[in-house]
Amino acid sequence: MSLTNETHTPSLRSWVESANVCNADFPIQNLPFGRYRFVGSDEGFKIGVAIGDQILDLHGAGLIDSHDMNALMALDAGERLHLRRAISQGLAHGSSKQQAWSKLVTPQCESEMAVPCQIGDYTDFYTGIHHATSVGKLFRPDLPLMPNYKWVPIGYHGRASSIRVSGQTFRRPQGQTKAPDAAQPSFGSSRRVDYELELGYFVGRGNELGQPVSIEGAEDHFFGVTLLNDWSARDIQAWEYQPLGPFLSKNFASTISPWLVTTEALAPFRAPFVRPDCDPQPLPYLDSEFNRKAGVLDITLEVLVQTQRMAESGIAPERLTLGGARTAAYWTAAQLIAHHTVNGCNLQSGDLLGSGTLSGPVQNEAGSLLELTEGGKKPIRLTSGEQRTFLEDGDTLILRGWCERPGATRIGLGEARGTVLPHEV
Ligand code: MN
């Protein structure tokens, strides 16, 4: 079983020199899709491919005939591969396209990015078993992991309208909260604004209502990934979440990275899906040979924070977490797609599935402040001298992700950055 081809060859170089720099996020082996325009312009967003620190205009290059990313995402696997090969060949060192295409590249620093596609529906899952266990302990010490967790991929329908691209700022949300010892709830600004380190899985081709996607076919409907910060107001969440799950604690903002890193680009970074012997094996509709051999994505994830004071003093963002999706997720993207559609529910091109918070097995790999500070009890000390239990006004959170493996060229996911503003601006 080989998922890789000549577009992944490590010796491949591009005539865009910045793509050949060691540890670049966007070498020619990556080729992620995004939507961009010149900063400050009011023209429509175009579809581009990131290459080094530049963006190639795909329509200008004659490789696509519209500016509709959702249509591009709905291409079948063969058409997607054909497009990837054409982009790779044209950007490769020595290509006959160099002279024409060099007029079609724009520096990323002169570009403004949009959310990469129209996101019709957003479902957030809860596949991070270490996150589910430690948060469960805080909310329900007697029953940290619910009895269904190891059988059903848990999720809820989220809100797509408040998902924005990296660079998002939002006002601290207000809402109802209730302290455990208070007789009744009070209304005001959330005092427990947190982040959640997640991957966003984008749906490519959709399925008809009433026609489930089998686990064997699920990979064909999986287009690619972004970084996803599912901002969460923990005090609002604690009071509202039962019995129907999160609502206003989650839908005030969600931030994604601008580049859709495709499953084709991720092919060299697949890993086996393994369940511990003591855990139940997935039911047959969530199990396939391919999923067992290669269902997992081996992506390294990082979270950094830069407080307002750090930014004003020129202090670089400080790392809060370094961990991996591989050890954190209890279910694969293909299992989420198969499960989501098993009742006949229709997914559409551009739908977003959140992985859930991808915390590693140890404390310093936690993907939220709720876990890092043990529910706000143990503040984090930053090298600036400040400390944090939850996010304060002016704090900027940065998610980063990348894949590296011997014999493959490292690729990156870019970053998802967002800033909490005071309630009153
Ligand atoms: Mn979440």
Side-chain angles (χ1 to χ4, degrees), residues 122 124-126 131 156 196-198 228-232 234 246 250 354-357:
Y122 162 48
D124 198 22
F125 283 92
Y126 201 48
H131 171 78
Y156 69 96
E196 290 193 338
L197 168 63
E198 305 197 17
L228 166 64
N229 184 346
D230 178 25
W231 303 96
S232 300
R234 300 301 182 191
K250 300 277 194 174
S355 63
T357 309

Short mmCIF file of all heavy atoms in Angstrom, two decimals, residues 122 124-126 131 156 196-198 228-232 234 246 250 354-357, ligand 1:
data_model
loop_
_atom_site.label_atom_id
_atom_site.label_comp_id
_atom_site.label_asym_id
_atom_site.label_seq_id
_atom_site.Cartn_x
_atom_site.Cartn_y
_atom_site.Cartn_z
N TYR A 122 -20.71 22.77 11.08
CA TYR A 122 -19.54 22.51 11.92
C TYR A 122 -19.95 21.58 13.06
O TYR A 122 -20.91 21.86 13.77
CB TYR A 122 -19.02 23.84 12.47
CG TYR A 122 -18.11 23.77 13.67
CD1 TYR A 122 -17.03 22.89 13.70
CD2 TYR A 122 -18.32 24.58 14.78
CE1 TYR A 122 -16.19 22.83 14.81
CE2 TYR A 122 -17.49 24.53 15.89
CZ TYR A 122 -16.43 23.65 15.89
OH TYR A 122 -15.61 23.59 17.00
N ASP A 124 -18.33 19.56 16.37
CA ASP A 124 -17.12 19.41 17.19
C ASP A 124 -17.20 18.08 17.93
O ASP A 124 -18.18 17.80 18.62
CB ASP A 124 -16.98 20.57 18.17
CG ASP A 124 -15.56 20.68 18.72
OD1 ASP A 124 -14.63 20.17 18.07
OD2 ASP A 124 -15.39 21.26 19.80
N PHE A 125 -16.15 17.28 17.75
CA PHE A 125 -16.07 15.99 18.43
C PHE A 125 -15.27 16.12 19.73
O PHE A 125 -14.90 17.23 20.14
CB PHE A 125 -15.47 14.94 17.48
CG PHE A 125 -16.45 14.46 16.45
CD1 PHE A 125 -16.54 15.07 15.20
CD2 PHE A 125 -17.30 13.39 16.72
CE1 PHE A 125 -17.45 14.63 14.26
CE2 PHE A 125 -18.20 12.95 15.78
CZ PHE A 125 -18.28 13.57 14.54
N TYR A 126 -14.98 14.99 20.32
CA TYR A 126 -14.38 14.95 21.66
C TYR A 126 -13.42 13.78 21.69
O TYR A 126 -13.45 12.95 22.57
CB TYR A 126 -15.54 14.76 22.65
CG TYR A 126 -15.30 15.17 24.08
CD1 TYR A 126 -14.75 16.39 24.40
CD2 TYR A 126 -15.69 14.32 25.13
CE1 TYR A 126 -14.58 16.77 25.73
CE2 TYR A 126 -15.52 14.69 26.45
CZ TYR A 126 -14.97 15.92 26.74
OH TYR A 126 -14.81 16.30 28.06
N HIS A 131 -7.85 14.50 27.36
CA HIS A 131 -8.62 15.71 27.68
C HIS A 131 -9.96 15.31 28.31
O HIS A 131 -10.34 15.86 29.35
CB HIS A 131 -8.86 16.51 26.39
CG HIS A 131 -9.80 17.66 26.55
ND1 HIS A 131 -9.44 18.86 27.13
CD2 HIS A 131 -11.11 17.79 26.21
CE1 HIS A 131 -10.48 19.68 27.12
NE2 HIS A 131 -11.51 19.06 26.57
N TYR A 156 -21.01 17.20 19.13
CA TYR A 156 -22.23 18.03 19.14
C TYR A 156 -22.18 18.94 17.93
O TYR A 156 -21.11 19.21 17.38
CB TYR A 156 -22.32 18.86 20.45
CG TYR A 156 -21.27 19.94 20.56
CD1 TYR A 156 -21.55 21.26 20.20
CD2 TYR A 156 -19.99 19.65 20.99
CE1 TYR A 156 -20.58 22.25 20.27
CE2 TYR A 156 -19.01 20.63 21.07
CZ TYR A 156 -19.32 21.92 20.71
OH TYR A 156 -18.35 22.88 20.77
N GLU A 196 -8.91 25.81 23.10
CA GLU A 196 -8.84 24.36 22.92
C GLU A 196 -8.02 24.08 21.67
O GLU A 196 -8.33 24.57 20.59
CB GLU A 196 -10.24 23.74 22.79
CG GLU A 196 -11.00 23.79 24.11
CD GLU A 196 -12.25 22.92 24.14
OE1 GLU A 196 -12.80 22.60 23.05
OE2 GLU A 196 -12.69 22.57 25.26
N LEU A 197 -6.98 23.30 21.84
CA LEU A 197 -6.07 22.93 20.74
C LEU A 197 -6.70 21.77 19.98
O LEU A 197 -6.82 20.66 20.51
CB LEU A 197 -4.73 22.51 21.33
CG LEU A 197 -3.74 21.80 20.40
CD1 LEU A 197 -3.32 22.71 19.26
CD2 LEU A 197 -2.51 21.35 21.19
N GLU A 198 -7.14 22.04 18.74
CA GLU A 198 -7.81 20.99 17.96
C GLU A 198 -7.29 21.00 16.53
O GLU A 198 -6.73 21.97 16.05
CB GLU A 198 -9.33 21.24 17.92
CG GLU A 198 -9.96 21.35 19.29
CD GLU A 198 -11.47 21.19 19.30
OE1 GLU A 198 -12.03 20.67 18.31
OE2 GLU A 198 -12.09 21.60 20.30
N LEU A 228 -7.39 24.36 14.60
CA LEU A 228 -8.66 24.90 15.09
C LEU A 228 -8.55 25.24 16.56
O LEU A 228 -8.18 24.38 17.37
CB LEU A 228 -9.77 23.85 14.87
CG LEU A 228 -11.10 24.06 15.59
CD1 LEU A 228 -11.81 25.31 15.10
CD2 LEU A 228 -12.01 22.84 15.39
N ASN A 229 -8.83 26.48 16.90
CA ASN A 229 -8.92 26.88 18.31
C ASN A 229 -10.40 27.06 18.64
O ASN A 229 -11.04 28.00 18.18
CB ASN A 229 -8.14 28.17 18.57
CG ASN A 229 -8.13 28.55 20.05
OD1 ASN A 229 -8.90 28.02 20.84
ND2 ASN A 229 -7.27 29.48 20.41
N ASP A 230 -10.90 26.15 19.45
CA ASP A 230 -12.31 26.19 19.87
C ASP A 230 -12.37 26.95 21.21
O ASP A 230 -12.44 26.35 22.28
CB ASP A 230 -12.81 24.75 20.01
CG ASP A 230 -14.25 24.67 20.49
OD1 ASP A 230 -15.00 25.63 20.27
OD2 ASP A 230 -14.60 23.64 21.10
N TRP A 231 -12.32 28.29 21.10
CA TRP A 231 -12.34 29.15 22.31
C TRP A 231 -13.53 28.76 23.18
O TRP A 231 -14.64 28.55 22.67
CB TRP A 231 -12.48 30.61 21.91
CG TRP A 231 -11.42 31.14 20.99
CD1 TRP A 231 -11.50 31.24 19.64
CD2 TRP A 231 -10.14 31.68 21.36
NE1 TRP A 231 -10.34 31.81 19.14
CE2 TRP A 231 -9.50 32.08 20.17
CE3 TRP A 231 -9.47 31.85 22.57
CZ2 TRP A 231 -8.22 32.65 20.15
CZ3 TRP A 231 -8.20 32.42 22.56
CH2 TRP A 231 -7.59 32.81 21.36
N SER A 232 -13.33 28.71 24.48
CA SER A 232 -14.36 28.20 25.38
C SER A 232 -14.42 29.04 26.65
O SER A 232 -13.39 29.33 27.25
CB SER A 232 -14.04 26.75 25.78
OG SER A 232 -13.98 25.92 24.63
N ARG A 234 -15.28 28.70 30.19
CA ARG A 234 -15.49 27.54 31.07
C ARG A 234 -16.56 27.77 32.12
O ARG A 234 -17.24 26.82 32.53
CB ARG A 234 -14.18 27.17 31.77
CG ARG A 234 -13.04 26.81 30.84
CD ARG A 234 -13.39 25.63 29.97
NE ARG A 234 -12.26 25.27 29.11
CZ ARG A 234 -12.35 24.41 28.11
NH1 ARG A 234 -13.50 23.81 27.83
NH2 ARG A 234 -11.31 24.14 27.36
N PRO A 246 -22.54 21.82 25.14
CA PRO A 246 -22.11 23.22 25.08
C PRO A 246 -22.97 24.04 24.11
O PRO A 246 -23.47 23.52 23.12
CB PRO A 246 -20.68 23.13 24.54
CG PRO A 246 -20.32 21.71 24.49
CD PRO A 246 -21.56 20.91 24.56
N LYS A 250 -19.29 28.23 23.65
CA LYS A 250 -18.40 27.84 22.55
C LYS A 250 -18.61 28.64 21.28
O LYS A 250 -17.73 28.69 20.43
CB LYS A 250 -18.65 26.36 22.19
CG LYS A 250 -18.40 25.39 23.34
CD LYS A 250 -16.95 25.05 23.44
CE LYS A 250 -16.74 23.86 24.34
NZ LYS A 250 -15.34 23.44 24.33
N GLY A 354 -14.46 19.17 14.03
CA GLY A 354 -13.39 19.43 15.00
C GLY A 354 -13.01 18.13 15.68
O GLY A 354 -13.86 17.29 15.97
N SER A 355 -11.71 17.98 15.93
CA SER A 355 -11.22 16.73 16.56
C SER A 355 -11.59 16.65 18.03
O SER A 355 -11.63 15.57 18.61
CB SER A 355 -9.70 16.66 16.44
OG SER A 355 -9.11 17.73 17.16
N GLY A 356 -11.85 17.79 18.66
CA GLY A 356 -11.85 17.85 20.13
C GLY A 356 -10.43 18.16 20.59
O GLY A 356 -9.47 18.05 19.82
N THR A 357 -10.31 18.58 21.84
CA THR A 357 -9.03 19.03 22.37
C THR A 357 -8.03 17.89 22.40
O THR A 357 -8.28 16.84 23.01
CB THR A 357 -9.21 19.61 23.79
OG1 THR A 357 -10.26 20.56 23.73
CG2 THR A 357 -7.93 20.26 24.27
MN MN B 1 -13.88 21.66 21.40
#
